[in-house]
């Protein structure tokens, strides 16, 4: 009887049911689209951060920046150039290898960090900047002034000849690039994991001190390097064994070397600039951060959440809009849809006074009348849910198909004197010339729809039907048969 009456009433009031369902559908569709776009923003931001610290890395540990004006602060860069050879046009070439940020930790710090509670892995890395000066000196020529001879004033002899040095000088090309020392025994952590080997191979665990290198694809193309080529750093020749292409298009460094080789080049034996940490439980990252800061003094711990605060550009702006404006807009539309559905259902009940009065006179209890109204509203809500899910999936698919491009850049974060944290120690450390102005990364936005989002949509559809049914049921339960029968529709 319940379902028969329900079917007949919905068929008889198709337009009213469609209006209620459409209102709920609009709110549910908006929730799905906003949730999907927000998820896409999160994935895009994760991809930006992943390009900086690599897969599996939850946080980095760097040396804490020394207070200004105290010993141990950033060293002032110096460059000593010793001329080689002789002659007028002797060619000169020299490499200046420095630790990025001038802040280092001892290798023992890596083991100490790895022994902390909640840490499942810790790997050290050394970020270097190489300034290559290549060119030649040219001697000047002394030329005597016209009319100047060996006679002095008044025609007297013994005077010094008068003239000047002309020409000469120096012509040098200055090139700057970045080198990163990688612990080849633990390649599962660190920035190299965010790149894919597209030519050759990566390091092997046996190459801890081998003269081999992996080149970034963009740098290799610029310098015309390929697998098997040789690159020279500070008079040491390294064989390119592989070319790596970063997932996000922005590499961590131009060249990757085994950690021991990088330490030797920089004269930084048993030193690292960054410790990459993987937490045993990703839900306890903040607790692990506190533990490291407490037990390993003199360090700065930066998590991916800290770095996310430094992301700027259109990605950050769109993410803020999706999080704030989109969320509140969805809530406002949902509230409006629920209210409209409730008011329309209540209005429909007021037009069915004679009908409900007759049913009560025939013996229907108030609870049965209320249940009938709630049942109709619930079906309307489910219908709105189906339409809303279809519209939401269509909107999410449209966003993914268009794939608007967003840009993101990461500014330096605190710590490490330009070498600390993700932003300073990694972006600045790996970027060399990019330290002052970080390079923008372009990310294609997608709108993935998660199963949980569909579940929320179904729950909202049911909730909308129950709320609308509650309004109408409460109105119907207050009707008295005698009063209802005196009214004419």
């Amino acid at each position: 009887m319940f379902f028969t009456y329900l079917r007949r009433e919905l068929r008889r009031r198709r337009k009213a049911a469609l209006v209620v369902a459409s209102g709920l559908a609009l709110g549910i569709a908006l929730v799905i689209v906003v949730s999907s776009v927000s998820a896409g923003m999160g994935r895009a931001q994760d991809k930006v951060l992943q390009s900086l610290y690599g897969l599996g890395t939850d946080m980095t540990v760097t040396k804490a920046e020394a207070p200004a004006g105290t010993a141990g602060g950033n060293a002032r860069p110096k460059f000593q150039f010793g001329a080689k050879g002789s002659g007028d046009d002797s060619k000169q070439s020299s490499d200046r290898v420095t630790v990025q940020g001038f802040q280092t930790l001892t290798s023992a710090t890596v083991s100490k960090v790895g022994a902390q509670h909640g840490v499942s892995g810790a790997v050290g890395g050394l970020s270097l900047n190489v300034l290559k000066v290549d060119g030649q000196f040219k001697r000047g020529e002394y030329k005597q002034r016209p009319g100047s001879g060996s006679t002095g004033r008044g025609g007297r002899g013994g005077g010094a000849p008068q003239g000047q040095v002309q020409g000469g000088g120096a012509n040098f090309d200055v090139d700057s690039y970045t080198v990163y020392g990688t612990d080849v025994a633990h390649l599962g952590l660190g920035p190299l994991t965010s790149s894919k080997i597209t030519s050759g191979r990566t390091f092997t665990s046996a190459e801890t001190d081998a003269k081999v290198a992996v080149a970034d694809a963009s740098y290799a193309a610029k310098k015309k390097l390929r697998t098997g080529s040789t690159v020279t750093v500070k008079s040491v020749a390294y064989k390119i064994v592989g070319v790596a292409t970063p997932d996000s298009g922005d590499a961590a460094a131009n060249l990757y070397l085994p950690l021991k080789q990088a330490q030797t080049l920089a004269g930084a034996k048993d030193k690292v600039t960054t410790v990459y940490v993987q937490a045993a439980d990703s839900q306890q990252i903040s607790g692990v951060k506190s533990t490291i800061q407490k037990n390993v003094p003199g360090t700065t711990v930066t998590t991916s959440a800290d770095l996310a605060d430094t992301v700027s550009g259109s990605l950050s702006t769109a993410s803020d809009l999706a999080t704030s404006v989109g969320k509140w807009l969805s809530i406002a539309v949902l509230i409006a849809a629920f209210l409209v559905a409730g008011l329309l259902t209540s209005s429909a009940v007021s037009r069915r006074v004679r009908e409900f009065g007759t049913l009560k006179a025939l013996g229907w209890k108030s609870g049965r009348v209320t249940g009938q109204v709630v049942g109709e509203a619930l079906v309307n809500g489910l219908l709105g849910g189906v339409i809303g899910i279809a519209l939401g999936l269509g909107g999410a698919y449209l966003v993914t198909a268009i794939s608007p491009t967003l840009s993101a850049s990461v500014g330096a974060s605190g710590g490490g004197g330009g070498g600390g944290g993700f932003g300073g120690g990694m972006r600045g450390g790996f970027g060399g010339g990019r330290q002052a102005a970080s390079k923008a990364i372009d990310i294609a936005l997608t709108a993935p729809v998660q199963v949980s989002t569909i579940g929320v949509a179904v729950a909202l559809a049911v909730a909308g039907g129950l709320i609308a049914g509650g309004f109408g049921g409460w109105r119907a339960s207050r009707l008295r048969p005698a009063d209802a029968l005196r009214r004419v529709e």
Side-chain angles (χ1 to χ4, degrees), residues 292-314:
I292 295 175
Q293 288 177 326
K294 178 181 178 181
N295 298 332
V296 189
T299 60
T300 297
V301 183
T302 309
T303 66
S304 56
D306 299 328
L307 182 58
D309 294 335
T310 70
V311 175
S312 60
S314 60

Side-chain angles (χ1 to χ4, degrees), residues 49 61 68 97 145 189 200 202 234 292 358 368 391 428 430 444 474:
L49 302 183
V61 179
V97 181
R145 292 179 181 176
L189 281 175
T202 187
K234 206 174 182 179
I292 295 175
T358 303
R368 186 175 179 181
L391 292 176
F430 300 157
W474 173 77

Side-chain angles (χ1 to χ4, degrees), residues 35-46:
S35 299
S36 300
V37 171
S38 297
M41 296 290 182
R43 288 190 181 184
Q45 195 170 62
D46 289 343

Side-chain angles (χ1 to χ4, degrees), residues 249-302:
D250 195 19
N254 299 131
L255 289 175
Y256 300 90
L257 301 179
L259 180 57
K260 287 187 178 181
Q261 282 293 318
Q263 291 171 337
T264 301
L265 287 175
K269 184 179 180 181
D270 296 328
K271 298 290 186 180
V272 297
T273 52
T274 309
V275 181
Y276 300 92
V277 182
Q278 184 178 33
D281 184 357
S282 60
Q283 303 300 319
Q284 303 297 326
I285 292 178
S286 60
V288 176
K289 175 182 177 180
S290 300
T291 300
I292 295 175
Q293 288 177 326
K294 178 181 178 181
N295 298 332
V296 189
T299 60
T300 297
V301 183
T302 309

